[in-house]
Amino acid sequence: MKIHEYQGKQLLADAGVRVPRGVVCKSADEVAAAYETLGGSIAVVKSQIHAGGRGKGRFKEFPEQPGVVLVKSAAEARENAERMLGQTLVTIQTGDEGKQVNTLFVEEGLQIARELYLGIVVDREAGGPVLMMSSEGGMEIEEVAANTPEKIFREPFDADYGLMPYQVRNLCFKLGFNAAQMKQAGKFLPQVCKFFADNDCSMAEVNPLVVTADDELVVLDAKIAFDDNALFRHKPLLELRDLSEEDAAEVRAGAAGLSYVNLDGNIGCLVNGAGLAMSTMDLIKLHGGEPANFLDVGGGANVDQVTEAFKIILSDSNVKAVLVNIFGGIMKCDTIVEALLTSYEKVGFTVPLVVRLEGTNVDKAREMLAASGRDIVSATDLTDAAKKVVGTLSA
Ligand code: ADP
Ligand code: MG
């Protein structure tokens, strides 16, 4: 689960690190008022969307308008807000369709001496979190990683013990910090690492982390994501979820207990088990097709779940055929066919449906399918199923 910059900054501030003063706004009036509240000198108006690259991003409706803008008067703050609120911001991370900006965050403008990069991710190779820092802050870190990887300094740390003082010193020397900045980092870096571990984050990125003219470390941007599988133990974080930022079909699937990921192809897939779903997608591709989604109905698919799964698959207008691939292990194949036929009626299929079943009571299940009189193509094995579903597209 991703959250907005202003929410991430609030959490980081609660964890003890310094963030600029800011006000969350939903209207141009609020933005103008926030400018005054913040002291009426330099302020920054920032679009709140679940994507980075906002500073360089531009609005579809106003191609000159950046997603992050510095303002020097209440009138200027208001004018910018009017061009941002309700409009569509396109950045390198949003894709061409962009994202609608519904919230602005107005912040005090800081005197920046240096922009650094700080990121924490879970490194599967190290088997734990790793803190990464670079003096190349404020810009696209992907480019630094690709062209000059030696400029990114890494310190894997233990989630329980946190970042060790020697690791802080390592980073400070490499970044060329002076004594005052080192003292700051001695508090700041372990605090951010502890925040990451305590909240089961999957990513925490501060780009830029700034060093101010008076040697303070301040979080200027915050991109934070939490591990969905750990959210059950962080109930208060769930309130920060912004469903308008998430894929509508994926939200709907989540509510029905289905694992669904929307993809670009045109063959809808309904499968039980994540591993089988992955191999099904591979086979479709092997035989020249493109999967429209990943969908795992889990171990105990019932009529309601299968119906909802079909509805979600068919709500994607790209879907031109559907492949159901079920292995009846704990679930019996005939039970699945029963659910399938009931759902088929309820949903009202308009595209070809290919079904491959294997496992307990498979013969009985195939007979039921054949006897149903429905226009359902039965497949004998995985390859047959993939060929048949791809074949329906060229037919
Ligand atoms: P994004 O990464 O989405 O482009 P940032 O929050 O990093 O958005 O802002 C882009 C740039 O705007 C920063 O690199 C920084 O130079 C400037 N900036 C952002 N917030 C402030 C602020 N409070 N004071 C001064 N400059 C800021
Ligand atoms: Mg940034």
Side-chain angles (χ1 to χ4, degrees):
M1 182 184 85
K2 292 182 184 169
I3 58 171
H4 287 295
E5 174 196 4
Y6 76 88
Q7 297 168 323
K9 280 178 166 165
Q10 184 58 56
L11 294 175
L12 284 168
D14 294 345
V17 306
R18 195 179 147 197
V19 303
R21 289 180 303 128
V23 184
V24 182
C25 301
K26 295 274 187 193
S27 71
D29 281 345
E30 285 174 20
V31 170
Y35 175 87
E36 302 294 358
T37 310
L38 291 172
S41 58
I42 295 176
V44 184
V45 182
K46 310 183 78 172
S47 307
Q48 298 300 293
I49 54 171
H50 283 186
R54 298 162 302 164
K56 286 189 184 144
R58 293 292 183 269
F59 284 83
K60 264 195 182 157
E61 299 83 355
F62 302 98
E64 302 285 308
Q65 178 68 38
V68 172
V69 60
L70 212 109
V71 294
K72 291 186 178 136
S73 71
E76 204 188 336
R78 177 193 298 277
E79 283 161 22
N80 277 280
E82 279 165 357
R83 287 189 294 267
M84 297 163 91
L85 279 169
Q87 312 300 336
T88 313
L89 178 60
V90 180
T91 80
I92 50 163
Q93 289 184 11
T94 61
D96 292 340
E97 69 273 23
K99 283 202 163 187
Q100 190 177 0
V101 174
N102 302 313
T103 307
L104 295 173
F105 192 45
V106 185
E107 250 182 17
E108 60 176 325
L110 290 189
Q111 294 293 329
I112 302 172
R114 233 183 129 184
E115 295 200 342
L116 308 169
Y117 172 87
L118 180 153
I120 308 176
V121 291
V122 177
D123 182 346
R124 280 156 211 277
E125 231 164 87
V130 54
L131 168 65
M132 297 175 293
M133 292 191 76
S134 173
S135 50
E136 311 297 305
M139 56 199 292
E140 282 119 49
I141 197 69
E142 291 82 2
E143 257 170 52
V144 182
N147 301 327
T148 47
E150 69 281 1
K151 288 188 177 167
I152 300 176
F153 311 123
R154 301 161 47 93
E155 287 292 340
F157 64 93
D158 185 282
D160 290 327
Y161 291 108
L163 192 73
M164 293 288 160
Y166 79 90
Q167 298 185 293
V168 175
R169 284 193 297 275
N170 272 347
L171 288 166
C172 288
F173 285 126
K174 288 176 181 164
L175 292 165
F177 277 8
N178 64 27
Q181 292 160 356
M182 255 173 122
K183 197 166 166 220
Q184 281 267 318
K187 257 184 79 186
F188 182 98
L189 296 181
Q191 275 170 331
V192 179
C193 291
K194 183 172 179 341
F195 168 83
F196 184 92
D198 286 352
N199 291 285
D200 290 306
C201 294
S202 54
M203 186 188 74
E205 191 180 62
V206 176
N207 186 24
L209 163 64
V210 305
V211 183
T212 61
D214 47 2
D215 290 329
E216 277 223 71
L217 290 177
V218 187
V219 169
L220 215 65
D221 189 8
K223 217 167 125 189
I224 289 167
F226 301 99
D227 182 345
D228 291 337
N229 294 316
L231 276 174
F232 72 93
R233 49 184 195 188
H234 304 288
K235 292 268 153 48
L237 293 178
L238 285 172
E239 280 169 30
L240 304 179
R241 190 165 180 194
D242 182 351
L243 291 177
S244 72
E245 289 279 340
E246 297 180 26
D247 183 282
E250 289 178 17
V251 171
R252 192 174 158 189
L258 307 163
S259 311
Y260 171 90
V261 181
N262 192 12
L263 302 168
D264 294 333
N266 54 9
I267 298 175
C269 307
L270 187 156
V271 188
N272 67 338
L276 191 58
M278 301 290 277
S279 9
T280 304
M281 288 160 54
D282 280 350
L283 268 148
I284 288 175
K285 277 183 105 82
L286 183 69
H287 293 287
E290 285 293 334
N293 64 276
F294 166 97
L295 196 157
D296 171 15
V297 291
N302 56 34
V303 174
D304 289 342
Q305 270 189 317
V306 174
T307 306
E308 185 67 358
F310 275 146
K311 283 185 181 163
I312 291 168
I313 291 175
L314 295 174
S315 72
D316 176 355
S317 59
N318 290 332
V319 169
K320 298 289 180 278
V322 174
L323 171 59
V324 172
N325 185 16
I326 301 280
F327 178 75
I330 299 168
M331 275 277 275
K332 296 190 196 81
C333 289
D334 50 325
T335 314
I336 292 162
V337 167
E338 245 179 73
L340 212 70
L341 290 172
T342 312
S343 318
Y344 189 85
E345 293 307 317
K346 284 193 180 174
V347 172
F349 257 80
T350 48
V351 299
L353 172 63
V354 178
V355 177
R356 178 263 179 173
L357 294 163
E358 199 52 80
T360 316
N361 291 355
V362 66
D363 293 335
K364 186 175 169 199
R366 287 199 185 134
E367 275 166 30
M368 285 166 68
L369 263 188
S372 72
R374 304 284 160 247
D375 193 12
I376 301 175
V377 182
S378 191
T380 49
D381 58 33
L382 256 172
T383 301
D384 184 42
K387 281 184 179 162
K388 277 181 174 156
V389 76
V390 174
T392 63
L393 298 179
S394 47

